[in-house]
Amino acid sequence: MEGVVSAKPPGLPFPAGAKPWQVAIDDVNDDGRPDLLIIPYERDITDPSQNAVTVFLGDGMGAFRPMPGSPLPLGGCHGADSVTAGDLLGDGRHDHDIVVACAESRNLMIFERDGDGRFTPSSQPSGGGWVPWLSLIWGTIGATTIGVNSSRQTMRTGRSRSSLPIEYSAA
């Protein structure tokens, strides 16, 4: 059949962390190749240390390898329901931070990438922070630079809402 590739890339399938549930694709290490970010379905894991973002770096040929320092622990995040990556500082650099929406604990876990490629975690709670609308229970999240200012920008939708809230915050 023309245009169909049936060969399986080397290394597939591969272990994707405990109870893999949601995935995002982005270039988190700025090598021009897509990488995978995977979060587990927390209710199905038995060991709290397995509640973590597993990051796989792509080789550009269809194979992936674990990123050094992965998995990134999701301590303080319960009910992780969405993961994304983006240039949250809006500086145009490909230093993509990783963001996980935590529905049950109603916070965002943000892993900011430093100049050495390491990720530092922080948590942004709902109510009074830059995510007061995060009381929307289960949904999805995206992070990107929208516009020209250099502020942290995320979008989140919830199943109970018909609007798309956008939050802006100074970086």
Side-chain angles (χ1 to χ4, degrees):
M1 197 188 276
E2 188 175 335
V4 175
V5 177
S6 61
K8 182 177 81 169
L12 291 180
F14 54 86
K19 303 296 181 182
W21 186 49
Q22 297 289 326
V23 64
I25 303 169
D26 204 317
D27 179 14
V28 297
N29 64 344
D30 196 24
D31 65 358
R33 301 172 182 150
D35 305 316
L36 302 177
L37 303 97
I38 302 168
I39 57 173
Y41 189 68
E42 184 185 18
R43 292 179 183 175
D44 286 349
I45 58 177
T46 56
D47 180 354
S49 71
Q50 294 175 327
N51 190 27
V53 181
T54 304
V55 181
F56 290 96
L57 304 177
D59 69 358
M61 303 295 289
F64 297 87
R65 62 179 168 75
M67 179 187 77
S70 175
L72 306 171
L74 288 171
C77 174
H78 300 288
D81 69 330
S82 189
V83 60
T84 191
D87 177 15
L88 296 185
L89 297 178
D91 57 12
R93 292 184 19 217
H94 233 100
D95 54 350
H96 283 186
D97 302 321
I98 297 169
V99 182
V100 177
C102 310
E104 292 176 10
S105 54
R106 292 185 167 86
N107 64 310
L108 293 177
M109 288 296 300
I110 301 170
F111 295 89
E112 294 185 59
R113 184 173 176 241
D114 66 19
D116 295 326
R118 291 186 299 263
F119 289 89
T120 303
S122 65
S123 176
Q124 296 289 330
S126 66
W130 62 282
V131 286
W133 46 267
L134 197 59
S135 59
L136 302 172
I137 309 291
W138 299 91
T140 190
I141 190 166
T144 190
T145 300
I146 305 170
V148 295
N149 62 6
S150 59
S151 61
R152 190 175 280 180
Q153 302 163 12
T154 62
M155 288 185 236
R156 181 173 172 85
T157 61
R159 291 185 181 146
S160 62
R161 294 277 178 111
S162 60
S163 62
L164 179 66
I166 300 174
E167 280 295 315
Y168 298 91
S169 170

